[in-house]
Amino acid sequence: MVDRLARTGAAVTLAFAAAIVAVALTTEFDQGSAPDPTEALVEAWSATRTMTHRSVGITERTRESTGDVLRSPVEVVQRAPDRLLRQHGEVRGRRDDRVLDCPAPVGGDDPGCRLGPPGETFESVVARELAEFRALVTRDAPLYEVTSAGDRCWTMRRTRYDPRSGFGVEATLCFHPDGPVAGALASVRIDHGDVVESTTYDEITADVRDADLEP
């Protein structure tokens, strides 16, 4: 889920995006430091994509026309340059500058993990993701308009259809308010129309051990 949110948009220049990452790495998350909801959300998203944290929760996918609900545990572990997403029996992420992929077992057979060849660095990947996210909510005609939805929460409302609209018709993102995990994504709800996806992380810690990053 957390990775699906990142698959959006076209990038602005890497140099500009890298500057965003540098700010996120060297300044503490502070909602009040941004002059408007859009910039505040960009700051929050920057922080959660770079900070060290381990987040455990539940994802629910609800089809409103039928009431059917699918639930799945989810775990995100991040400590630059490593990041793992555990969900649906599979593990995906990055180890150093290599893509890690551990597909879910099929028919009792465990395909094991695959580690791709060296590629983009963690910094360049995050810089590209942040540039793509910023492009969705800024510019003269943003794809999403951003409004405040309470303490450390923001709502993104789509202004028009676009293939880049990975945040659905409407999405609400909330971030942990304080302590060592301030700025970590606490919950996200994405309304795709008939299908609503929501993830809530009820366990978030800044203590990431080497064992947590093992697939």
Side-chain angles (χ1 to χ4, degrees):
M1 175 70 177
V2 177
D3 283 354
R4 192 179 304 163
L5 295 180
R7 293 196 297 269
T8 51
V12 295
T13 65
L14 183 60
F16 178 71
I20 300 174
V21 176
V23 170
L25 287 169
T26 56
T27 60
E28 183 178 355
F29 173 71
D30 178 9
Q31 179 177 336
S33 66
D36 59 61
T38 299
E39 288 300 322
L41 175 58
V42 171
E43 284 187 12
W45 190 252
S46 300
T48 204
R49 296 300 292 144
T50 55
M51 66 184 297
T52 295
H53 68 98
R54 175 177 174 266
S55 302
V56 180
I58 296 290
T59 293
E60 292 188 350
R61 183 179 177 90
T62 304
R63 186 173 295 278
E64 297 192 332
S65 59
T66 63
D68 294 337
V69 180
L70 294 176
R71 293 182 176 87
S72 173
V74 60
E75 179 181 10
V76 177
V77 185
Q78 180 170 276
R79 187 181 67 192
D82 298 333
R83 185 174 191 271
L84 294 181
L85 168 66
R86 294 186 177 93
Q87 192 175 27
H88 304 306
E90 50 185 36
V91 179
R92 301 183 184 277
R94 298 185 61 83
R95 176 164 292 173
D96 294 322
D97 59 350
R98 307 172 74 177
V99 173
L100 177 67
D101 182 19
C102 306
V106 178
D109 295 328
D110 188 350
C113 296
R114 298 189 295 266
L115 195 60
E120 286 187 273
T121 65
F122 176 86
E123 289 79 9
S124 63
V125 169
V126 172
R128 173 167 46 80
E129 290 178 357
L130 295 182
E132 292 169 355
F133 184 83
R134 174 177 281 275
L136 293 177
V137 296
T138 58
R139 301 183 175 179
D140 294 335
L143 181 55
Y144 287 93
E145 292 183 344
V146 179
T147 57
S148 176
D151 186 27
R152 307 289 170 90
C153 294
W154 293 271
T155 294
M156 302 167 60
R157 293 185 176 88
R158 195 174 69 189
T159 61
R160 62 188 182 281
Y161 176 74
D162 188 285
R164 298 176 299 160
S165 53
F167 287 92
V169 179
E170 181 178 295
T172 298
L173 293 79
C174 295
F175 301 81
H176 202 281
D178 49 34
V181 293
L185 185 65
S187 67
V188 57
R189 181 184 186 275
I190 302 179
D191 185 349
H192 295 283
D194 184 38
V195 175
V196 176
E197 286 185 292
S198 61
T199 299
T200 300
Y201 297 102
D202 49 22
E203 178 186 344
I204 306 175
T205 178
D207 181 19
V208 175
R209 303 166 300 170
D210 291 345
D212 297 327
L213 289 163
E214 291 298 322

